[in-house]
């Protein structure tokens, strides 16, 4: 039996966890007056409308598996977008509130995914927010790597 894990199985588990997350649902309802829309993949030619935000997008990525590997690697991406056209100014400091709110949602997503598998936790995250180019859209993105040590003849428990 070949030991393997489908990227779509990881994405499905993540999708369900994010949908069930009370902290994410509450945060979005409190700050954006609606729960987030969750997409598995996205139509790049027809981006979601501003009214669809906040949104979370799950992208299947790539994997490295095989009998000669002591450790399997799975790379997937999670993106999110909020709309926030607000600033606060105190003395000579102006803050775009979308920066911190986008980061807060990203942290909630990360924490939710990080707690899914104690046996195979997230190994690496590359996390960024783009607070300039798409204003008043504040997009964030995480490139996530899972590293799993397989046991020949057994299915991977994730």
């Amino acid at each position: 039996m070949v030991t393997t894990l489908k990227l779509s199985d990881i994405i499905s588990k993540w999708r369900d966890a994010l949908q069930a997350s009370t902290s994410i649902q509450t945060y979005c309802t409190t700050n954006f007056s609606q729960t987030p829309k969750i997409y598995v993949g996205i139509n790049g030619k027809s981006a979601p409308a501003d009214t669809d935000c906040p949104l979370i997008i799950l992208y299947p990525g790539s994997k490295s598996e095989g009998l000669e590997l002591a450790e399997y690697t799975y790379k997937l991406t999670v993106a999110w977008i909020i709309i926030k056209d607000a600033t606060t100014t105190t003395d000579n400091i102006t803050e775009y509130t979308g920066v911190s709110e986008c980061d807060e949602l990203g942290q909630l997503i990360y924490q939710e995914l990080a707690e899914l598998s104690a046996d195979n936790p997230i190994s690496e995250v590359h996390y960024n927010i783009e607070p300039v180019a798409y204003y008043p859209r504040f997009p964030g993105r995480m490139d996530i790597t899972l590293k799993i040590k397989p046991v020949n003849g057994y299915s991977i428990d994730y």
Side-chain angles (χ1 to χ4, degrees):
M1 176 175 148
V2 175
T3 304
T4 187
L5 177 60
K6 294 188 309 186
L7 291 171
S8 58
D9 288 346
I10 299 169
I11 289 290
S12 294
K13 185 169 184 171
W14 289 7
R15 175 202 64 212
D16 295 347
L18 295 174
Q19 177 66 29
S21 170
T22 55
S23 62
I24 291 172
Q25 301 300 320
T26 300
Y27 181 79
C28 289
T29 301
T30 301
N31 291 287
F32 310 111
S33 301
Q34 65 182 21
T35 59
K37 294 195 173 38
I38 299 174
Y39 291 80
V40 176
I42 194 108
N43 180 349
K45 294 179 182 179
S46 179
D50 287 356
T51 55
D52 291 328
C53 295
L55 61 88
I56 300 169
I57 308 165
L58 302 169
Y59 297 92
S62 63
K63 67 179 182 174
S64 297
E65 296 178 332
L67 294 175
E68 294 185 12
L69 295 176
E71 186 173 71
Y72 292 177
T73 303
Y74 304 86
K75 296 182 179 187
L76 301 99
T77 298
V78 179
W80 62 98
I81 301 171
I82 66 160
I83 303 290
K84 194 60 149 195
D85 188 10
T87 60
T88 58
T89 302
T90 307
D91 297 324
N92 64 338
I93 298 171
T94 299
E95 292 188 47
Y96 289 83
T97 51
V99 174
S100 61
E101 290 182 8
C102 182
D103 188 30
E104 184 67 29
L105 178 56
Q107 287 300 126
L108 291 171
I109 293 167
Y110 177 44
Q111 289 170 339
E112 193 67 44
L113 298 178
E115 295 173 2
L116 282 181
S117 179
D119 293 335
N120 298 301
I122 290 175
S123 303
E124 189 175 333
V125 173
H126 296 271
Y127 179 108
N128 65 67
I129 296 171
E130 174 48 65
V132 178
Y134 305 102
Y135 183 84
R137 282 183 174 224
F138 288 86
R141 177 184 175 114
M142 280 182 268
D143 296 315
I144 299 173
T145 302
L146 301 172
K147 294 180 181 179
I148 298 175
K149 294 182 192 276
V151 177
N152 286 333
Y154 294 92
S155 62
I156 298 172
D157 183 30
Y158 179 81

